[in-house]
Amino acid sequence: MIKKISLAALALTMTASTTLAATNITWWHGMGGRNGEVINEIAQKFNAAQAECVLTPVSKGSYEEALSSGIAAFRSGEQPNILQVFDAGAATIINAKGATIPAEDLLKDNGFEFNREAFIEGVRYFYADSDGKFVGMPFNSSAPIMYINDEALTKAGVEAPKTWEEFEAIAPKLKEAGFIPLVQSQLTWQFTENFFSRNNIQFASNNNGYDSIVDTTINVTDENHVMMYDKLKAWYDQGLFGYYGAAWNDNQKVFEEGKAALWIGSSGSFGGLQTTATMPFSATFLPYWNSIEGAGVHSFIGGAALFAMAGKSAEENKCSASFFNFLTSTEVQKFYHQATGYVAITSAAYELSKSEGYYNEKPAAEVGIQQLQLPTAEWNKGYRLGFYPQIRAVMEREYNRLFAGETTAKDAMETIKKEADELLARFAKTAG
């Protein structure tokens, strides 16, 4: 049987075999489909731009599989040069002693200039340490935003809400017009993690986990957070909020088919929505509660970052640094932003897209960037919590029980806190 390989993979293989003098480096990632194709295109652009290094990207499946593969490979001394790690796995890789070289150090040690201020506000902190040093290099970054079924709002005679109070006022009219007023695709990211960020409330002790992993506890029992889920359950019971389980696409599909008026999704979903949505759509910021003092600040990013793995030769580290420098260049960032829908992580790439009229043609593509550039506050820079993928699983289980009528918001949050704090304590012992 003849095994088929893609043209992109063939081109990369030919480049590696014909550039014998070059230093070869590998990049493991967890992306497929069009996003995986764009990664191959970026690697081809990098390989064509210089002769010293050859970068080979390798898909390891999902985000979780890429992280697991990377950690296992490091323990056996077979780690890649660059590993893509998703937001929830950041604490795991950062606290794996000796596993990575901070991206900022890697660049500076290899003679490249680096300016933290070049990155847009909401991107700047999530993969940094408590002093602001970049440990991971932000890559595919997104924000949770509100997508709008334009036909639904026109039919109901209402405008998109800026706050949750405004949503409560218009939701009955959207329902009367024949639409599910609101759906979402990831409660953990959109209505828990970014609830704390958007409303400027502390998510966890020890500076949201950035200062220490010892004795870190989670703050999901905050009265405002409990109120958010009491509201969601009440809206669900009243037919004002649709919940279709923890699977992302099951919730997105209702919006794509024109059945829902508003969908809280990812700014990175914009590219796909252009082909899947059956109606005209637009977008606006993730709502916040006007009743919470200090609310309305920027959210933080989802997606993933790239980490330079330790234990490699000086020549390979220099190539990894060269790629990070290439990846954050204005033209490459503009290409990646427009090819995928993920936000441009640098101000220069955003301004270039804007000056060329990209957002005049596709205004929804700008919303995530604008939201990430809203004012910064004390508690909206992100979190750094160990075993967080497992904590998210606990949240999803309890949120499913909430909408099934098996628990209350208060009891769900107390259960999540108990189990999450136990996981955080176990992580501190494991990583300590």
Side-chain angles (χ1 to χ4, degrees), residues 80-91:
N81 299 88
I82 299 167
L83 178 66
Q84 182 190 35
V85 178
F86 69 134
D87 50 3

Side-chain angles (χ1 to χ4, degrees), residues 22 55 88 141 183 223 237 343 384:
L55 172 65
S141 298
V183 293
E223 62 180 5
D237 291 342
V343 302
R384 181 68 44 75

Side-chain angles (χ1 to χ4, degrees), residues 142-161:
S142 57
I145 63 174
M146 175 176 278
Y147 287 94
I148 302 160
N149 178 339
D150 295 331
E151 292 177 345
L153 268 65
T154 299
K155 187 174 179 181
V158 299
E159 294 183 355

Side-chain angles (χ1 to χ4, degrees), residues 187 232-233 236-237 241 243-245 396-409 412:
L187 285 169
L232 287 170
K233 180 58 165 64
Y236 177 80
D237 291 342
F241 172 62
Y243 178 71
Y244 303 90
E396 289 175 352
R397 183 197 71 210
E398 290 303 306
Y399 296 161
N400 283 339
R401 294 184 65 234
L402 173 65
F403 291 107
E406 298 172 1
T407 188
T408 65

Side-chain angles (χ1 to χ4, degrees), residues 173-184:
K173 295 180 181 179
L174 292 167
K175 182 182 177 183
E176 291 169 9
F179 298 93
I180 302 165
L182 176 70
V183 293
Q184 58 71 51

